[in-house]
């Protein structure tokens, strides 16, 4: 607390004396205090500034012009402080800037204006400072633009810097005024002091005004070749800034080449900045070859890496990561030179180095000694990251999560560093827990369990829940520990803490699924807690347990009946589960429960508005009434085991993420394409030489990755595409017999239920998402040919790699009029897009409907969603005489600037001739962007399909299409939509297809073709769901063509 | 054509205080509206403690990366794929710089020095590229405020912006300025080790590791080239160095060879992992229990020395965050003072020196809110302590040699061990 003794101020009009703190009230939080009313506002201001700065004032005295204060300051023991009051009562203390905020009066701007135009240098500077301070807190002081710019011509470096600060902020809103500053900039770029040269070029780049950029080119060119490296490195960044404002200008002026030359600069800082600038520019040109990495440039970068600043090292390392080494020796030598970065104090440098090493390690043979050494070297820096600030820890943990999935061996001995401290922030706790489970193995499971049990008694509910789930996951992952896990869970249930009990029951259900007939003895304990369950998931789990083990629970009917009372108040999940459980119960104990089952069936079918519930009710009803034996086989079928790791990242995505360690993508575990946000392109990175190694190294990685995130996922027998896609827990391949198709009633029901069936049945697993919404095959009627054992041959059968020849011509939609003659002074353009052998062509017919000759044709595209741009100038043999038309074919590339358009495939074109420039927009079929290598591996397809969330799925109908599936498949292949697998169920052909856009976005499709039905159904899944509509249009266009 | 920008590294920076006021904003390119922060405020609202706000937040068009330091959120807005660690490191560097310049990093101090803060931010980041983040370099360009200089500037009309070229920027040793002169040449090294440990109920070590740091204060004339060697360098298998340290020599000879920055800096940090045996200097006997009935509980804590390397344990302090239901405590301490904060429910027992002959003990009863259920969670004990003149890992500096300059510097090494995140579970 400040202590105020006495202030005397003798001004022209006032004599104020304050004797004690009584008259001056203030708080530490608010520097404005209410002072005795007799003080003028100026004096108040003065006092407040003063008091903020001093910790305590011992005493003060005054004479006519000068007040002397004796200060006692905390940090600097005793200072005598002479505070000068100028004649004009300028309280211009340098002590604190807070005075600049004490006035918010309306006349402030006016007052500042006057001060800015003052003759006195000092006053001017003070005024500029006030302006800057206002700007800092978000006040609008743009009205002062001309006055501030006037202060720019000065020798005073501080004043100059302040004006520059102001200019950068407001030039955009006052472009015409900003021109006034240009001359000074140009002059400053010639200044003998390199600091000023650099400052000028730096500031010019920050002024985002088109008109100024042209004046900037010459000074920038000079600065890029400046003798002083400090200026060169500043200029390098400036090129990136300029590129952002006007990309064309930068290319035309040849700055990109100069920038590339700077990579060979003698000064490491210049190299680092050049790399940073090039990387930034390259980001807006996803496919351009700006950073042409070859062994020579690599060598230069690696040399600069050792000598530049920490930030420069990050840029360089990120750039190195894009390189693909020629062989394992080069890989090793790069790794050797990057390894020292692991000992850097800056964690971002460390993580970038880890990225480079993780990527290049893929190239190294596993039996190499160096490979083992490298693995060992990676562990300590990762562990060290965990002792940094919590925010850094969080990012590190998200990345470690990826690393342990890819290479669990690196951190397998470091379990303890992931133990949770009670004062870790919650976001760190949750991440640590996740990694602990990933690292859990037979060797360390005892410790892990002890820890998890400890966590289950913490305060934070979310964390406790996750800890309980983790115990369940351990049980499923490490078989030897299952028993201990179950007993730990039982202990936790005994605590009777409500949410702990509920979580425990949910995970115990999964344990039952994984180890059938082993732990059912605990059911009695679980049943005791029936009443305390109030969360749908826990209730559903409990009901599932009761239904599944109805024969062992004496009062199962009573228990289930008790749930039935409030049937309509339950959530859908619980209702569905209850329905199934009671049907199970009925099939097991038919004599006692007939009433119950009728009750639930009528509740589900007659009183429910939920179609899922109703449909499932009807299915059961009909099954039970037509063929109880079949019903038993269906409902009580043996369930496939659930998988060990339920949340592994899909392998292709994991590979991609490993290449993006340290980026936002790695924090969110989403592919970089999910971050497109319309404003920069996507570069898909793949691990070098990893396509084969992924499988050879961990044969079960793929199947494990294929499992969905749902807690009770089905393990597909590997390679069983159909079982997997169908996700039918009720029809394990082994037990599905060739059931008779007889019974018109039953078939009728199936037809009636159509495509929704599988989702209903899939839902039995407690909400595990059904895959395609369109698998209309009733499980009971599934032909035996589709059970697992034969799936291998199925694959061959439907492997279309070689079986289908390329169709003759590519699909070419008819031309449409893009630019009518009446809108373009007689110029008419009609056209279309086509893809021929990997090249996108814009086919145009240009007609001259004017009376005069047309010449000088040129074309330009606006930024568009996929970076389409003309690959060269348009070739029109001009002049084009009146009434003449000409066919032009313009090859396009996809390296142009990217911006998301609406609709996505919209292209805005500027077309120029000797008369004028005309603008039109057209839409290209997205199929021209389907790359030739868009055929996905089958396994990858499976995993990807599952990994893409269901909300990304969209379904479309194609009406009146009379092709059979082979013809459709052929036609689609002509636009690079590849059929990966095909199967027939009940006369419906299902085609599974993939396609890849030029920017690396994959789209997956399921096409349903039914003989005799002219309506096709396409289900599309894509990580970028916005492309689905366009993809569908391509389907429709090509199939109907 | 259309206004469309590719974002750069760090687009904007906002400083936000605990009550959610934005008291500083800086935009390096176009101005980002404050509305983007709504996503942050939403997350802040949800978090129980300010520390629990997730450091990376996604909004439809931007990413918000924030750190929490000195009761301030430093929040960077970014638009493109930027390494988040890069941003977080940078934000911490900004906070460090404020600390360095103004003695503390707080809202008031920043508000009082807004113009300097603004100038600093401008120097530190250019178009999203970090420019000058070394404190030596910054101080050459923007002088830190001192009261004395303010007086002088006011009288003479001088400024606190240097018109010197930051010479260090241009050399290959950017961390050291040229032409350093001292009358007393001295080099001091502090070896500081912090024990991070978790002990379980029975006193068994669940996890323990040592975070070590060597802080240096080097005031030497000219361009000295120093070599620091250890008695037992094999302890150090996980190290991070200041950029001045020559990594090659460390790898081959296990010595630290470097041209030091001028003044205070962190020479290296190291980490002695949980796989080595970490000596735990004290043991804690504790019993905190709550009774099912009667709305009360018992607390009994005794602390004794364990592996102290023959030194005295000082600054001993125990902090216990009690369950929310604990209304008050009725305890007696055999040594030191204790306080119980009713608002935060934190019990702090300040013991001071640990006397091996007479072990400090704290015991008594806890009264729990009547009718409240028996607290489920077990409070953890947080221990603070300090041991002078010893590095608990056993690390010892062997010698310091100086090359390149003629004079004889004064040298000194100091060791201290502290408790880091040292927790005892109950």
């Amino acid at each position: 607390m400040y202590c105020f003794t006495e202030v005397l101020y003798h001004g022209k009009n006032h004599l104020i004396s304050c004797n004690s703190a009584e008259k001056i009230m203030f708080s530490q939080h608010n520097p404005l205090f209410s002072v005795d009313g007799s003080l003028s506002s100026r004096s108040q201001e003065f006092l407040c500034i003063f008091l903020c700065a001093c910790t305590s004032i011992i005493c003060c005295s005054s004479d006519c012009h000068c007040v002397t204060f004796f200060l006692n300051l905390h940090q600097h023991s005793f200072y005598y402080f002479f505070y000068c009051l100028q004649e004009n009562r300028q309280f211009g203390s340098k002590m604190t800037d807070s005075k600049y905020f004490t006035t918010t009066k309306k006349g402030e701007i006016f007052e500042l204006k006057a001060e800015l135009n003052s003759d006195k240098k000092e006053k001017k500077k003070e005024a500029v400072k006030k302006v800057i301070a206002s700007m800092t807190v978000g006040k609008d002081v743009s009205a002062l633009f001309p006055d501030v710019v006037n202060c720019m011509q000065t020798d005073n470096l501080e004043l100059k810097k302040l004006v520059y600060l102001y200019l950068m902020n407001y030039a955009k809103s006052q472009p015409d005024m900003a021109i006034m500053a240009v001359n000074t900039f140009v002059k400053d770029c010639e200044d003998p002091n390199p600091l000023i040269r650099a400052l000028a070029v730096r500031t010019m780049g920050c002024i985002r005004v088109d008109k100024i950029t042209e004046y900037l080119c010459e000074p920038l060119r000079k600065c890029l070749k400046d003798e002083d490296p400090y200026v060169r490195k500043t200029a390098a960044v400036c090129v990136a800034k300029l590129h952002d404002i006007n990309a064309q200008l930068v290319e035309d002026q040849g700055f990109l080449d100069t920038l590339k030359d700077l990579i060979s600069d003698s000064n490491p800082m210049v190299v680092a900045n050049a790399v940073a600038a090039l990387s930034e520019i390259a980001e807006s040109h996803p496919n351009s070859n700006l950073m042409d990495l070859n062994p020579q440039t690599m060598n230069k970068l690696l040399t600069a890496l050792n000598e530049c600043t920490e930030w420069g090292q990050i840029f360089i390392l990120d750039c190195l990561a894009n390189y693909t080494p020629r062989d394992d020796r080069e890989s090793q030598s790069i790794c050797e030179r990057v390894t020292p970065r692991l000992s850097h104090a800056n964690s971002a440098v460390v993580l970038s180095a880890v990225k480079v090493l993780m990527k290049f390690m893929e190239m190294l043979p596993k039996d190499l000694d160096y490979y083992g050494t490298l693995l060992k070297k990676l562990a300590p820096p990762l562990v060290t990251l965990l002792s940094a600030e919590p925010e850094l820890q969080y990012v590190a943990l998200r990345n470690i999560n990826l690393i342990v999935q890819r290479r669990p061996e690196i951190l397998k001995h470091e379990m303890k560093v992931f133990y949770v401290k009670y004062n870790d922030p919650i976001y760190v706790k949750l991440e640590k827990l996740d990694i602990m489970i990933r690292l859990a193995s037979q060797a360390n499971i005892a410790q892990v369990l002890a820890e998890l049990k400890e966590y289950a008694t913490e305060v934070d509910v979310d964390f406790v829940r996750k800890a309980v789930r983790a115990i369940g996951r351990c049980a499923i992952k490490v078989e030897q520990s299952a028993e201990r896990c179950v007993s730990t869970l039982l202990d936790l249930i005994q605590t009777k803490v409500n949410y702990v009990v509920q979580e425990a029951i949910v995970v115990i259900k999964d344990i039952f699924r994984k180890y059938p007939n082993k732990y059912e003895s605990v059911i009695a304990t679980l049943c005791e807690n029936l009443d305390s369950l109030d969360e749908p998931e826990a209730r559903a789990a409990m009901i599932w347990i009761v239904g599944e083990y109805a024969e062992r629970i004496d009062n199962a009917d009573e228990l289930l009946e008790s749930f039935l009372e409030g049937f309509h108040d339950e959530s859908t999940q619980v209702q569905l589960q209850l329905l199934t459980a009671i049907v199970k119960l009925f099939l097991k104990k038919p004599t006692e429960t007939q009433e119950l089952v009728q009750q639930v069936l009528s509740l589900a079918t007659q009183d429910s508005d939920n179609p899922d519930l109703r449909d499932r009710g009807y299915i059961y009803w009909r099954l039970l009434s037509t063929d109880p034996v079949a019903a038993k086989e269906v409902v009580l079928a043996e369930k496939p085991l659930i998988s060990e790791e339920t949340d592994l990242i899909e392998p292709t995505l994991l590979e991609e993420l490993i290449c993006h360690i340290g980026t936002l993508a790695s924090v969110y575990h989403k592919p970089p394409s999910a971050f497109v946000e319309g404003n920069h392109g996507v570069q898909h990175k793949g691990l070098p030489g990893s396509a084969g190694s992924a499988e050879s190294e961990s044969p079960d990685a793929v199947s494990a990755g294929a499992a969905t995130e749902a807690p009770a996922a089905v393990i597909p027998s590997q390679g069983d595409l159909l079982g997997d896609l169908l996700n039918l827990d009720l029809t394990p391949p082994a037990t599905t017999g060739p059931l008779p198709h007889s019974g018109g009633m039953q078939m009728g029901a199936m037809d009636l239920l159509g495509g929704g069936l599988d989702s209903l049945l899939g839902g039995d697993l407690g909400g595990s998402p059904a895959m395609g919404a369109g698998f209309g095959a009733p499980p009971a009627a599934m032909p035996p040919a589709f059970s697992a054992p034969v799936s291998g041959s199925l694959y061959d059968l439907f492997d279309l790699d070689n079986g289908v020849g390329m169709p003759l011509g590519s699909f070419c939609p008819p031309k449409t009029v893009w630019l009518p003659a009446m809108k373009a002074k007689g110029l008419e353009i009609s056209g279309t897009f086509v893809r021929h052998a990997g090249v996108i062509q814009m086919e145009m017919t240009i007609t001259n409907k004017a009376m005069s000759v047309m010449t000088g044709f040129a074309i330009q595209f606006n930024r568009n969603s996929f970076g389409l741009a003309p690959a060269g100038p348009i070739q029109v043999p001009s002049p084009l005489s009146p009434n003449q038309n000409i066919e032009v074919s313009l090859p396009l590339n996809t390296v142009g600037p990217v911006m998301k358009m609406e609709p996505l495939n919209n292209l805005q074109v500027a077309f120029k001739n000797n008369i004028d420039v005309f603008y039109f927009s057209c839409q290209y079929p997205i199929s021209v962007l389907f790359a030739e290598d868009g055929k996905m591996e089958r396994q990858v397809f499976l995993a990807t399909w599952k990994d893409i969330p269901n909300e990304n799925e969209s379904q479309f109908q194609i009406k009146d299409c009379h092709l059979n599936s082979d013809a459709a498949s052929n036609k689609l292949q002509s636009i690079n939509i590849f059929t990966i697998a095909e199967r027939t169920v009940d006369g419906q052909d299902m085609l599974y297809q993939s396609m890849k856009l030029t920017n690396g976005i994959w789209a997956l499709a399921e096409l349903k073709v039914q003989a005799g039905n002219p309506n096709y159904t396409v289900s599309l899944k894509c990580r970028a769901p916005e492309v689905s509509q366009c993809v569908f249009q391509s389907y429709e266009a090509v199939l109907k063509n | 054509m259309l206004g469309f920008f590719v974002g750069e590294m760090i687009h904007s920076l906002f400083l936000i205080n605990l009550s959610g006021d934005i008291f500083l904003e800086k935009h390096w390119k176009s101005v980002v509206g404050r509305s983007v922060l709504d996503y942050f405020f939403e997350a802040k609202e949800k978090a129980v403690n300010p520390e629990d706000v997730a450091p990376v937040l996604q909004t439809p068009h931007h990413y918000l990366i924030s750190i929490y330091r000195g009761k301030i959120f430093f929040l960077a807005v970014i638009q493109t794929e930027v390494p988040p660690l890069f941003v977080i490191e940078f934000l911490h560097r900004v906070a460090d710089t404020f600390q360095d310049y103004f003695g503390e990093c707080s809202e008031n101090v920043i508000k009082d020095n807004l113009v300097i803060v603004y100038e600093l931010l401008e120097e530190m980041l250019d178009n999203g590229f970090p420019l000058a983040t070394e404190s030596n370099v910054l101080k050459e360009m923007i002088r830190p405020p001192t009261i004395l200089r303010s007086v002088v500037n006011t009288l003479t009309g001088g400024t606190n912006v240097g018109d010197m070229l930051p010479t260090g920027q241009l050399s290959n040793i950017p961390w050291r300025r040229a032409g350093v002169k001292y009358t007393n040449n001295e080099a001091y090294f502090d070896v500081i080790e912090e024990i991070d440990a978790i002990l379980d109920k029975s006193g068994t070590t669940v996890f323990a590791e040592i975070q070590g740091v060597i802080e240096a204060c080097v005031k030497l004339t000219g361009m000295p080239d120093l070599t620091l060697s250890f008695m037992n360098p094999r302890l150090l298998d996980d190290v991070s160095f200041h950029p001045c340290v020559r990594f090659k020599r460390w790898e081959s000879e296990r010595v630290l060879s470097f041209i030091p920055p001028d003044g205070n800096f962190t020479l290296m940090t190291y980490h002695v992992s949980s796989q080595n045996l970490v000596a735990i200097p004290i043991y804690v006997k504790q019993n905190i229990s709550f009774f099912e009935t009667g709305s009360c509980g018992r607390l009994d804590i005794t602390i004794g020395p364990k592996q102290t390397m023959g030194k005295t344990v000082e600054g001993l302090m125990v902090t216990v965050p009690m369950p929310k239901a604990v209304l008050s405590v009725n305890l007696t301490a055999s040594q030191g003072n204790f306080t119980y904060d009713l608002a935060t429910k934190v019990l702090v027992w300040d013991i001071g020196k640990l006397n091996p002959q007479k072990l400090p003990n704290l015991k008594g009863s806890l009264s729990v809110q009547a009718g409240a259920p028996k607290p489920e969670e077990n409070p953890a004990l947080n221990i603070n302590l300090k041991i002078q003149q010893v590095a608990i890992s056993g690390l010892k500096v062997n010698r310091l040699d100086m090359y390149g300059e003629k004079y004889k510097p004064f040298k000194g090494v100091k060791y201290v061990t502290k408790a880091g995140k040292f927790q005892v579970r109950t």
Side-chain angles (χ1 to χ4, degrees), chain A residues 97 101 125 158 161 202 208 230 241 244 310-311 343 347 380 384 423 451 662 664 675 677 863 898, chain B residues 4-5 29 60-61 63 81 84 89 93 112 114 122-123 126 133 159 170 206 238 240-241 423 425:
Chain A
D97 299 331
F101 308 101
K125 199 170 81 191
E158 187 187 14
K161 276 190 171 180
R202 191 174 120 203
R208 309 185 52 86
Y230 183 69
K241 296 181 197 170
D244 189 16
E310 48 196 313
W311 312 108
S343 296
S347 58
T384 303
N423 49 3
E451 280 295 303
L664 281 170
F675 293 79
E677 191 38 61
R863 297 169 184 221
V898 176
Chain B
F4 167 68
F5 305 117
K29 218 168 253 183
H61 300 283
Y63 289 88
E81 175 62 89
E89 276 279 356
R93 209 60 63 87
D112 288 349
L114 267 183
E122 194 57 41
E123 276 320 319
D126 175 23
T133 51
T159 78
L170 304 181
V206 176
D238 182 4
S240 307
F241 297 122
Q423 305 181 352
R425 290 177 179 159

Side-chain angles (χ1 to χ4, degrees), chain A residues 785-1001:
Chain A
F786 289 93
S787 51
V790 273
S791 69
S793 59
L794 251 191
Y795 178 41
D796 296 338
L797 249 175
F798 293 111
D799 184 2
L800 299 168
D801 254 346
N802 314 313
V804 181
M806 275 292 284
L808 292 171
S810 298
F811 165 65
C812 172
K815 283 183 181 173
T816 49
V817 176
W818 286 338
L819 185 68
M822 54 193 296
K823 278 195 179 164
K825 302 181 180 165
L827 175 71
E828 185 181 275
I829 301 175
S830 57
T832 184
F833 294 86
V834 65
R835 188 181 180 99
H836 265 305
V839 181
I840 307 166
Q841 305 267 16
M842 188 173 178
E843 308 277 1
M844 283 175 285
T845 307
I846 303 170
T847 314
N848 181 356
K849 294 194 171 171
M851 304 303 283
S852 56
V853 174
M854 288 182 184
T855 55
F857 295 100
I859 191 166
Q860 219 169 1
F861 294 172
N862 191 7
R863 297 169 184 221
N864 53 71
S865 314
F866 296 94
L868 275 179
I874 189 166
Q875 304 290 340
V876 184
S878 56
L880 191 64
S881 327
N883 274 327
Q884 196 187 351
N885 69 31
I886 182 142
E887 303 281 335
V888 185
S889 179
L890 176 70
L892 310 180
N893 60 29
T894 52
V895 299
V898 176
M899 179 175 63
K900 193 173 166 182
M901 299 295 292
E902 194 55 50
L904 208 62
N905 57 343
N906 195 20
L907 179 67
Q908 296 177 335
V909 183
F911 201 93
K912 185 178 160 234
N913 64 8
N914 55 331
I915 302 166
D916 204 347
V917 182
F918 308 103
Y919 299 93
F920 64 88
S921 66
C922 53
Q923 292 180 11
Y924 47 92
I926 206 163
S927 57
V928 301
L929 299 168
F930 293 163
E932 279 66 24
D933 59 346
K935 181 159 186 170
M936 216 179 225
E937 288 286 316
R938 241 169 102 261
Q939 290 290 2
V940 178
F941 181 90
L942 274 179
T944 313
W945 183 277
K946 290 201 150 194
D947 189 64
I948 298 177
N950 277 5
E951 56 267 27
N952 280 15
E953 178 171 334
S954 31
Q955 215 177 71
F956 303 94
Q957 290 281 337
I958 301 175
K959 294 217 164 73
D960 292 328
C961 192
H962 299 281
L963 296 166
N964 65 22
S965 58
D966 280 350
S969 175
N970 280 357
K971 275 203 160 193
L972 289 168
Q973 182 146 3
S974 72
I975 58 166
N976 294 335
I977 296 177
F978 299 95
T979 304
I980 290 163
E982 185 179 346
R983 68 185 181 88
T984 312
V985 175
D986 263 9
Q988 278 202 338
D989 290 337
M990 311 284 212
L991 304 179
Y992 299 98
Q993 300 173 319
S994 74
M995 63 224 84
K996 183 181 150 194
L997 296 174
T998 45
N999 61 354
I1001 294 179

